Amino acid sequence: MSTLELFWNLSSSKKKERLDAAAKLVATLHKFQSEFTPAEVSDGEESSDSAQADTLDTLNAQDVSYSIRRLIRGLASPRESSRLGFAVALTELLSRLDTVTCGQIMNLVLDASKTQGSMSGQEERDNHFARLFGITSIIHSGLLTRNGTLPTSSTSASSLESYESVISTLVTLGEKKSWLRESAWWALVSAVEALAKSDVGWRAQGVEATVDTIYVKGSGWTPEKLALTLKLQALFPERDWRSVLSPMFKGTDTLATQNLKAVANILKESRVSEEDTESKATPGTWKPQLHFIWTILLDLLLPQHDNSSSKGPFRDFWSLVVDESLFSSTSSSERKYWGFQLFQKALPRIRNSQDLPFLFTKNFMRTWINHLSKSDRYLHKAALSVASDINSCVQSNPTLGFTLILQLTGVHGSKQFDTLTKTKTVENILSSMSPDDIVNYISHLLEQVNDESTTADAKSIDSRRSWIISQLALLIRTASVPKVDSWVFTVLDWLTLNGLFIITRESEKSDFIGLRQIPKPPFSEELRKECRVKLLSSVAELTGQSLSVKSGANEKASRVTGVSSNGEFWVLHVLDTIRKLEATPKKVYVAFPIDHEDESGEKSMEKAQDTLARLKTVDNENKDSVRGAHLLLAGIILKQYCTAGEEEDNESEDGVDVIDAAVKSITRLFPFEAPENDKKKQRRNSVATESAKLEEGDGPSPIDVLVDAIIGFLEKGTSFLRTVANQSFSLLAARLERHTIELILTQLERRDPTQEDEDEDEEMEDEEGVEEDSSSESDEIDDESEDDEEPDLELRSKIEEALRASGIERAEDGEGDDDSEEEELMDDDQMMAIDAQLAEIFRSRAGGKKGGKDANAQREATHFKNRVLDLVDIYVKKQPSSSNIPLLVPALLQLVITASPEESQLSEKATGILRSRIGKLKECPEKDDSIDTGFILEDLHSMARRASSGDVLTTIGQCCCYLARAHNHTSTDSNVRLVYRQSLTDFVTRKASRLNVAFFQEFIRRCPEAAWDLKQDILDVSASEKAVNAYRSCQTLGLLNLLFNNIPTKDGISGDLLTFIPSLQDTIVALLKSSASTGAFTTAQMKDIFKLVLTAIRQTKRFFKNGSEAGSLWESEVWDGLLEQLTSSEKYGQATGLHAMCKQVRDATRTSDPREAKEAGLKEAATTSSGKPSKSKAKRKAEEVEAPLEKPQKPKKKVKVVAELS
């Protein structure tokens, strides 16, 4: 086998192909060498280069020696990636051969990479790379320090002379070309590492030779020289390095604190040439990759292995060498890019939280935040990469999360880090932290509330406290943060205490952390309001999250929404905290107590709290409804607490009324008794029960009152109220009644959103008119207030223009007499004209102001209806078999049809509920005699006939299918058939009908049993003389084709076919004969009708196994007469494909097996056709291979038969 073909893929640009080619080449050469027997070589024969070359041929197989020379020569090839492939193959081959020496290979490399003056720049560059790659192959193959001799002589494989040659060649190569210096010295470091790991006899001499070659007096220090020095000191610590390092470094510790400034100056020369401390850019030498010295430095300062110890102070090194150099304010973007890369290399090496703060230094944080905050910054992508690495670091080591948060939000960072940088770095770190770290973080935040270590003004203290409040809310808002009761309770208690109460006395042993120290200065009202807002938003987030809870020790865990691990609602914990704090009046008092002149609010709260306590003891079969009432009442109470200081007196009274109504409704809905040992509560409960019974007949239903409170929550628009409303409604859905559904649907009715506001304004004006005094003092105040208002220049200009058009000029100063004279000259007509113009001006101005108010009101009304639709969606999802579902359909459709362009979102949401929820329900509603589904279905068909668009018609069609199934499930009348017959008649006979054939196809597919009863009506309507055109008739007949392919599986189908098939045959034959005379149908329409007949025949024979019984339903003589009429027809006489289909129908009616009819048709077609058909005839025959309107059961066989016929 020849090895020549194996060299080609070594130059491939694909790494896998190069490695495969190198492995195959080395394996082949190793096999050749194992079969070769080297000759004896005396020691004196290797003194010259020619002798060494002869020895290479003597001790190695011919292919091996050839391959060695070719691989070395190939290192200078510029073709694709040949240099990489040849170097890998050479390294692997030299590592397996023990018949070569380092001197031999080194001489071959030097000879093959000689440079001459006649070479071009590219050729010289290739030779330099060839020399570098060749020496690197020698080093990494182990040949440089191989300890042993050749197999047939005492010649050593490596020697001090060859080592010195390698060292000096690399140094010379690095000095010759600056762009090769780093690579050459990297190979030099590799050679030193290989020497340190070896046990050759000249190891000590090699170290001294390296020192003598490198540390030449006056050579200066470069990053490469420093890297080699650090490596030599680590590998050979026993040597005295003081003489070598002086005077650049003090002592033998290169990384000592006193030497770090010198190290920083040396590292600056990696891209610039500097004198003293001034830097000057050197063009063309910067590389985006980090210098290899940084890896050596990090290995020494941050060793990755646990058994390794640091060789220097990392904190001082990072501050002086990195932060004050690469990230300084005067540093270039290129150096900052290096700094970011260095940070990414150092971060994974941090193993404990004590060393992590050393990385987040002042200059680094400033640079990182600046480039991270704006996408147009030069290093924005690099800064994003750093943020991504930080997130990955926390995910792999969550114990570092707390320390990272402190650095990002600490002195060098920003408390608003995520907001400032427009990222979610802090939020992602929080989601990766362990629960213990989150507890530590919360403690750290709360310690800063009263941080007295710094003297700050009130504004900065409020800013810090506001940030603390936001961070606590962020912990709860982030869904990925594990919610543990201990720290969640701590956050909720702290927000409750500082939002609703004022601390008067501290208690170091209190369970509430906020009570252990009095805030100094006290919380401002803005901060208290922020605490209340965050408290409600936090409870809303927790109420919307689900948790696995076990109801019993032996029961399986289930997902429950809005509860803690003990199964209690989060909002109840907040109320329990409020109750406990209210019980300690000596330590705290309520900032905004809920009381009125008649103390009705206080009594209402007592009743509500008592009702909450007794609801826990209710033993009801429907536990979800009890929990829903529990959540709703708790939400009402908490909302009243949190908004007591913000609402007006009348709104606060309304809130108390809502609480009273909810308590009465819950008492009526879930009757319960007070504990037997509490006589006072027992008497009060009996009185409440009696009053509830008296009011039960007159007042609204209790579930209506609760749902009305839920709807009132939706009007407010806050996240807490919406969440509590949706969650409580979901739990109460099983108790909803018909009038409750009607109450919800009333909210969706279209009305003028500004009408109520105007009525309220008029009432306000009437009240003000009664209260106002007509004294002159009030008039003067009004005048003063009007004088204080800024004049409307636009209004003034319009008035002046109107007066000028009437001949009245603007009065100037000192012309009062003239104005009075002009006024005396104006008559009544002029005054009326001016009055009309002025009225128009003021009307337009008022209309402009009203327009903005109307737009806001309309927008709020749309948002409110959107939230009401959420309730409808929840109800359909929770109660799919409710008898009230049909009531939703007309209201939602009306909302879709009447929605304005501004309400497109509302219309889309309603459409989604109708299509995705109601239209796809598999359950049928329960029977309810009070709900007439037939009437609703008829109403929907009336809407369909007036549908404004195809999308609306599709939505109505799906709803009609649901209502048809619902009606047939609870009734046996024929209303569904009658309604669809009316719509079908409208579709066929009225040209402007909005219906389409898809409307009826949907009904047939989804309700095949109900649609089967419509078969005779479809046939009669399609054959009606009142049909608009033949196209509509043909479309309607196509519905029969679909109907035959979806015959329901129920009893009595055979009897229906016995009655229907003769009528179908007579009607279709009559239509076809009439068309043969008049040409009403096109050829394609005629074929569709024949396909319908074939489908009917096939389905008939499927139900009648006895062929004679099925054959009696179809009369073949009728089809013979039709065939004769078609053949003699002027329009269809040449339509041979149509004639063939008619013959196929005739033959199918004669035989009991459809296959026999097809074979008969084939034979007859073969006898009637002679020779090869012409091209035009072939095209006409090909037209017969058409898919029917609906896919038959065996389409492949049918297409085959028709194709053979053609």
Side-chain angles (χ1 to χ4, degrees):
M1 176 181 179
S2 175
T3 59
L4 297 178
E5 59 185 14
L6 300 178
F7 286 91
W8 182 259
N9 284 337
L10 292 177
S11 301
S12 174
S13 59
K14 298 180 180 179
K15 181 179 179 180
K16 187 177 184 303
E17 292 184 1
R18 292 198 307 269
L19 293 177
D20 293 342
K24 192 172 183 180
L25 175 63
V26 172
T28 303
L29 295 177
H30 182 70
K31 181 180 179 181
F32 289 159
Q33 184 65 21
S34 62
E35 297 173 355
F36 176 74
T37 303
E40 295 290 336
V41 179
S42 60
D43 296 340
E45 294 182 3
E46 299 183 4
S47 57
S48 61
D49 295 344
S50 60
Q52 290 183 0
D54 295 339
T55 305
L56 183 66
D57 296 332
T58 304
L59 298 179
N60 297 281
Q62 181 180 359
D63 287 332
V64 174
S65 59
Y66 167 78
S67 298
I68 291 175
R69 292 186 176 92
R70 180 167 179 178
L71 289 174
I72 292 174
R73 292 195 305 268
L75 296 175
S77 174
R79 185 170 68 90
E80 291 188 357
S81 301
S82 59
R83 190 174 290 117
L84 297 174
F86 278 66
V88 171
L90 179 61
T91 303
E92 187 65 23
L93 180 60
L94 293 179
S95 66
R96 297 191 182 190
L97 293 177
D98 58 355
T99 56
V100 295
T101 63
C102 179
Q104 287 178 338
I105 303 302
M106 187 64 186
N107 290 332
L108 291 175
V109 171
L110 294 177
D111 292 341
S113 58
K114 287 181 180 180
T115 57
Q116 301 175 1
S118 59
M119 287 183 175
S120 63
Q122 179 64 35
E123 292 174 340
E124 184 179 357
R125 178 178 176 274
D126 292 337
N127 281 337
H128 287 322
F129 275 118
R131 180 165 295 188
L132 176 62
F133 275 78
I135 296 176
T136 304
S137 297
I138 294 174
I139 296 172
H140 286 276
S141 66
L143 184 60
L144 178 64
T145 56
R146 184 175 296 172
N147 193 8
T149 59
L150 297 180
T152 58
S153 68
S154 59
T155 304
S156 177
S158 61
S159 62
L160 178 61
E161 292 78 11
S162 60
Y163 176 80
E164 292 176 345
S165 176
V166 168
I167 297 298
S168 59
T169 303
L170 289 174
V171 173
T172 303
L173 189 61
E175 294 296 331
K176 185 178 296 185
K177 297 295 182 182
S178 60
W179 42 270
L180 278 176
R181 180 187 301 163
E182 183 180 348
S183 300
W185 282 75
W186 175 80
L188 189 57
V189 172
S190 300
V192 172
E193 290 177 340
L195 178 63
K197 295 178 183 178
S198 68
D199 55 354
V200 293
W202 45 271
R203 182 173 180 270
Q205 292 88 338
V207 175
E208 295 302 325
T210 303
V211 173
D212 295 339
T213 304
I214 301 300
Y215 301 101
V216 180
K217 187 176 182 180
S219 59
W221 285 83
T222 61
E224 296 80 18
K225 185 176 180 179
L226 178 60
L228 183 60
T229 301
L230 294 173
K231 184 62 68 173
L232 285 171
Q233 285 185 296
L235 296 175
F236 307 101
E238 67 279 358
R239 192 186 187 282
D240 184 15
W241 298 98
R242 189 179 301 274
S243 59
V244 175
L245 298 178
S246 62
M248 178 62 69
F249 300 100
K250 299 177 182 180
T252 58
D253 189 359
T254 311
L255 298 179
T257 304
Q258 63 269 21
N259 294 325
L260 290 179
K261 186 174 181 180
V263 172
N265 291 332
I266 294 172
L267 292 178
K268 289 180 180 179
E269 297 185 7
S270 59
R271 74 167 286 273
V272 296
S273 177
E274 300 178 352
E275 297 180 0
D276 297 333
T277 58
E278 297 181 0
S279 60
K280 183 178 179 181
T282 303
T285 61
W286 182 82
K287 295 186 300 182
Q289 295 82 13
L290 277 176
H291 197 283
F292 72 90
I293 188 177
W294 293 108
T295 303
I296 297 175
L297 288 170
L298 292 178
D299 288 340
L300 295 174
L301 297 171
L302 293 175
Q304 293 181 331
H305 305 288
D306 295 336
N307 54 0
S308 303
S309 58
S310 177
K311 302 300 181 183
F314 175 73
R315 179 177 185 177
D316 296 338
F317 167 80
W318 188 267
S319 177
L320 295 174
V321 179
V322 179
D323 192 62
E324 296 182 4
S325 176
L326 298 181
F327 290 113
S328 66
S329 58
T330 58
S331 181
S332 63
S333 298
E334 290 80 2
R335 287 196 179 183
K336 291 176 181 177
Y337 180 74
W338 277 343
F340 285 145
Q341 284 187 311
L342 188 58
F343 178 89
Q344 291 175 281
K345 289 178 70 69
L347 184 63
R349 296 172 179 263
I350 301 295
R351 297 193 300 271
N352 53 71
S353 57
Q354 289 78 15
D355 296 336
L356 189 60
F358 301 154
L359 290 177
F360 295 87
T361 49
K362 179 180 179 181
N363 292 332
F364 164 74
M365 290 297 294
R366 186 198 69 249
T367 305
W368 184 37
I369 292 175
N370 288 340
H371 287 275
L372 192 62
S373 58
K374 294 184 179 180
S375 58
D376 58 348
R377 290 297 181 95
Y378 187 61
L379 299 179
H380 178 69
K381 291 184 178 180
L384 286 176
S385 179
V386 171
S388 177
D389 284 1
I390 289 176
N391 292 330
S392 302
C393 179
V394 179
Q395 291 176 1
S396 61
N397 189 2
T399 58
L400 300 177
F402 175 54
T403 307
L404 279 171
I405 292 292
L406 297 183
Q407 300 308 312
L408 298 184
T409 60
V411 179
H412 298 152
S414 173
K415 296 187 182 300
Q416 306 294 337
F417 184 87
D418 282 358
T419 304
L420 185 62
T421 59
K422 301 178 181 65
T423 63
K424 293 185 178 181
T425 306
V426 174
E427 184 175 339
N428 292 335
I429 293 175
L430 289 175
S431 63
S432 302
M433 290 168 58
S434 62
D436 293 337
D437 288 334
I438 293 177
V439 172
N440 295 333
Y441 179 57
I442 293 174
S443 301
H444 168 74
L445 291 175
L446 298 182
E447 288 173 359
Q448 299 183 57
V449 175
N450 296 323
D451 189 5
E452 300 177 356
S453 59
T454 59
T455 58
D457 56 357
K459 185 176 181 180
S460 60
I461 293 176
D462 288 351
S463 177
R464 183 176 70 244
R465 290 176 175 177
S466 177
W467 172 77
I468 293 172
I469 296 171
S470 300
Q471 290 300 302
L472 294 176
L474 176 64
L475 288 172
I476 295 180
R477 187 177 69 247
T478 306
S480 54
V481 175
K483 302 299 185 295
V484 180
D485 288 0
S486 58
W487 70 261
V488 175
F489 287 160
T490 301
V491 173
L492 294 179
D493 293 346
W494 190 88
L495 292 174
T496 303
L497 174 61
N498 292 283
L500 301 177
F501 295 88
I502 296 177
I503 304 174
T504 58
R505 181 186 300 177
E506 64 184 23
S507 177
E508 296 181 356
K509 297 182 180 180
S510 176
D511 295 335
F512 301 106
I513 296 178
L515 274 179
R516 296 174 186 174
Q517 188 176 6
I518 299 177
K520 296 180 181 179
F523 274 59
S524 63
E525 179 52 35
E526 290 76 12
L527 288 177
R528 295 188 187 281
K529 181 178 180 181
E530 186 174 358
C531 285
R532 294 193 295 269
V533 172
K534 295 300 183 182
L535 174 63
L536 292 178
S537 64
S538 299
V539 174
E541 290 289 341
L542 293 171
T543 304
Q545 297 176 7
S546 59
L547 184 70
S548 296
V549 178
K550 287 186 177 180
S551 56
N554 299 326
E555 296 184 7
K556 295 182 178 180
S558 59
R559 303 291 295 184
V560 184
T561 304
V563 299
S564 58
S565 59
N566 59 7
E568 187 181 53
F569 286 115
W570 295 103
V571 64
L572 291 178
H573 172 80
V574 176
L575 294 179
D576 186 56
T577 300
I578 295 175
R579 182 182 56 79
K580 291 179 180 179
L581 291 173
E582 287 180 335
T584 58
K586 295 182 179 180
K587 299 177 183 179
V588 297
Y589 65 89
V590 181
F592 300 100
I594 306 176
D595 54 1
H596 299 278
E597 295 179 358
D598 57 353
E599 299 182 352
S600 61
E602 193 172 331
K603 292 180 180 179
S604 298
M605 283 301 174
E606 289 180 1
K607 293 179 182 179
Q609 293 285 3
D610 184 55
T611 304
L612 284 177
R614 287 187 289 169
L615 271 175
K616 297 180 180 179
T617 63
V618 175
D619 186 13
N620 195 286
E621 297 180 356
N622 194 348
K623 295 182 179 180
D624 287 344
S625 299
V626 178
R627 295 179 67 249
H630 209 168
L631 176 61
L632 178 60
L633 182 58
I636 296 173
I637 296 173
L638 181 58
K639 178 254 181 185
Q640 189 66 17
Y641 269 111
C642 293
T643 59
E646 303 173 13
E647 296 178 342
E648 299 293 337
D649 290 341
N650 57 342
E651 293 182 355
S652 180
E653 292 177 1
D654 292 342
V656 173
D657 293 340
V658 173
I659 293 177
D660 291 338
V663 170
K664 292 179 182 179
S665 299
I666 292 174
T667 305
R668 292 171 56 192
L669 196 61
F670 308 105
F672 41 74
E673 296 182 357
E676 295 180 359
N677 55 358
D678 194 338
K679 296 181 179 180
K680 182 177 180 181
K681 290 185 177 180
Q682 193 171 2
R683 285 197 305 270
R684 184 169 58 186
N685 183 57
S686 61
V687 173
T689 304
E690 292 297 330
S691 61
K693 290 180 179 179
L694 292 175
E695 296 176 0
E696 187 172 1
D698 300 333
S701 172
I703 190 64
D704 289 357
V705 176
L706 296 181
V707 172
D708 185 67
I710 291 174
I711 294 173
F713 274 16
L714 299 180
E715 291 179 351
K716 301 298 181 181
T718 63
S719 61
F720 168 74
L721 297 179
R722 287 200 305 269
T723 304
V724 171
N726 291 337
Q727 186 63 22
S728 58
F729 183 83
S730 176
L731 296 171
L732 290 168
R735 302 298 296 266
L736 265 62
E737 302 171 359
R738 177 175 179 177
H739 41 77
T740 313
I741 298 297
E742 294 173 352
L743 173 64
I744 297 175
L745 297 179
T746 303
Q747 314 304 318
L748 299 175
E749 293 178 358
R750 189 173 185 84
R751 63 172 68 92
D752 188 0
T754 62
Q755 187 64 37
E756 297 179 359
D757 297 339
E758 292 178 358
D759 295 340
E760 293 178 359
D761 293 341
E762 291 177 359
E763 293 177 1
M764 293 285 291
E765 291 176 359
D766 295 339
E767 293 176 0
E768 292 176 358
V770 173
E771 296 175 357
E772 282 181 354
D773 189 2
S774 59
S775 62
S776 61
E777 183 179 355
S778 62
D779 295 338
E780 293 176 359
I781 295 176
D782 292 340
D783 294 338
E784 292 176 0
S785 62
E786 291 177 2
D787 294 339
D788 292 336
E789 294 182 359
E790 296 182 359
D792 191 340
L793 299 180
E794 183 179 358
L795 177 63
R796 175 178 294 180
S797 62
K798 290 182 178 180
I799 294 175
E800 291 177 354
E801 184 179 355
L803 294 174
R804 193 180 301 111
S806 301
I808 302 175
E809 297 295 333
R810 179 181 178 182
E812 302 294 339
D813 295 340
E815 296 181 357
D817 297 338
D818 297 337
D819 291 340
S820 61
E821 292 178 0
E822 289 182 2
E823 290 180 0
E824 293 177 359
L825 296 176
M826 293 178 62
D827 55 13
D828 293 340
D829 295 336
Q830 290 176 333
M831 292 294 293
M832 292 297 295
I834 294 177
D835 183 66
Q837 294 177 2
L838 293 177
E840 181 64 27
I841 293 173
F842 287 114
R843 191 182 300 112
S844 62
R845 183 171 182 267
K849 291 184 177 181
K850 185 179 177 181
K853 183 178 178 180
D854 292 351
N856 293 332
Q858 180 64 40
R859 190 180 305 110
E860 292 176 1
T862 302
H863 293 332
F864 170 70
K865 290 182 180 180
N866 262 315
R867 302 182 194 114
V868 175
L869 285 179
D870 290 335
L871 300 184
V872 176
D873 190 22
I874 292 172
Y875 183 75
V876 176
K877 182 179 179 181
K878 290 292 184 180
Q879 303 294 323
S881 60
S882 172
S883 59
N884 296 320
I885 299 293
L887 296 176
L888 302 174
V889 177
L892 294 178
L893 280 175
Q894 193 67 26
L895 186 63
V896 173
I897 295 172
T898 61
S900 61
E902 292 78 11
E903 298 174 331
S904 58
Q905 183 181 5
L906 193 66
S907 175
E908 292 173 0
K909 194 167 189 176
T911 302
I913 295 175
L914 289 171
R915 290 189 180 185
S916 303
R917 289 287 186 201
I918 299 178
K920 293 183 178 180
L921 285 178
K922 296 181 180 179
E923 299 87 348
C924 290
E926 300 171 354
K927 185 176 181 180
D928 189 347
D929 296 336
S930 62
I931 299 176
D932 189 355
T933 53
F935 177 77
I936 299 175
L937 179 63
E938 185 177 355
D939 189 24
L940 259 63
H941 275 259
S942 178
M943 291 183 185
R945 295 165 200 152
R946 305 187 306 270
S948 58
S949 65
D951 291 338
V952 174
L953 183 61
T954 302
T955 304
I956 297 176
Q958 294 184 5
C959 296
C960 288
C961 293
Y962 167 75
L963 288 173
R965 289 192 302 109
H967 185 78
N968 289 337
H969 178 71
T970 58
S971 177
T972 57
D973 56 30
S974 58
N975 284 348
V976 174
R977 171 176 168 267
L978 295 176
V979 170
Y980 270 94
R981 177 184 173 83
Q982 292 175 3
S983 297
L984 194 64
T985 304
D986 181 84
F987 168 68
V988 175
T989 61
R990 191 165 67 91
K991 187 175 183 180
S993 176
R994 297 287 186 173
L995 299 173
N996 55 30
V997 70
F999 179 84
F1000 303 99
Q1001 290 174 346
E1002 181 77 8
F1003 172 65
I1004 294 173
R1005 292 191 185 98
R1006 298 189 58 182
C1007 306
E1009 293 187 1
W1012 180 250
D1013 298 335
L1014 199 64
K1015 57 185 180 301
Q1016 187 62 48
D1017 298 321
I1018 297 175
L1019 183 63
D1020 295 342
V1021 172
S1022 61
S1024 173
E1025 296 180 354
K1026 297 181 180 180
V1028 174
N1029 49 44
Y1031 178 72
R1032 291 276 179 94
S1033 298
C1034 188
Q1035 278 188 314
T1036 309
L1037 287 174
L1039 295 177
L1040 288 176
N1041 196 352
L1042 179 62
L1043 192 60
F1044 274 111
N1045 285 320
N1046 292 274
I1047 296 179
T1049 56
K1050 66 176 183 178
D1051 298 335
I1053 297 298
S1054 300
D1056 292 342
L1057 291 176
L1058 289 174
T1059 306
F1060 179 65
I1061 292 301
S1063 176
L1064 174 67
Q1065 180 178 236
D1066 296 342
T1067 302
I1068 290 180
V1069 170
L1071 284 174
L1072 295 178
K1073 287 184 177 181
S1074 175
S1075 179
S1077 303
T1078 62
F1081 294 120
T1082 63
T1083 304
Q1085 292 172 345
M1086 295 280 284
K1087 291 180 180 179
D1088 290 338
I1089 296 175
F1090 278 117
K1091 291 171 186 176
L1092 163 63
V1093 177
L1094 289 173
T1095 302
I1097 294 174
R1098 183 176 65 251
Q1099 295 294 343
T1100 303
K1101 293 180 179 180
R1102 184 169 68 88
F1103 279 91
F1104 297 97
K1105 302 300 181 181
N1106 187 356
S1108 59
E1109 188 177 6
S1112 62
L1113 298 176
W1114 298 93
E1115 301 175 3
S1116 59
E1117 297 79 5
V1118 175
W1119 300 100
D1120 284 331
L1122 176 62
L1123 179 60
E1124 294 178 0
Q1125 192 169 352
L1126 289 175
T1127 306
S1128 60
S1129 173
E1130 180 179 356
K1131 183 174 182 179
Y1132 308 116
Q1134 303 298 323
T1136 56
L1138 190 62
H1139 303 163
M1141 294 192 72
C1142 185
K1143 294 175 184 177
Q1144 187 177 351
V1145 171
R1146 180 201 59 189
D1147 296 335
T1149 58
R1150 291 176 178 175
T1151 60
S1152 60
D1153 188 357
R1155 296 178 182 177
E1156 297 179 6
K1158 295 176 182 178
E1159 292 176 358
L1162 291 174
K1163 291 179 180 179
E1164 186 170 354
T1167 56
T1168 56
S1169 62
S1170 59
K1172 185 177 180 180
S1174 63
K1175 185 174 181 180
S1176 59
K1177 185 177 181 180
K1179 288 184 178 180
R1180 291 197 304 270
K1181 297 296 183 180
E1183 293 177 356
E1184 296 179 8
V1185 189
E1186 296 176 351
L1189 289 178
E1190 297 298 331
K1191 184 178 179 181
Q1193 292 183 351
K1194 297 180 181 180
K1196 293 184 179 180
K1197 292 183 178 180
K1198 185 172 183 178
V1199 171
K1200 179 179 178 182
V1201 171
V1202 179
E1204 291 177 354
L1205 283 173
S1206 61

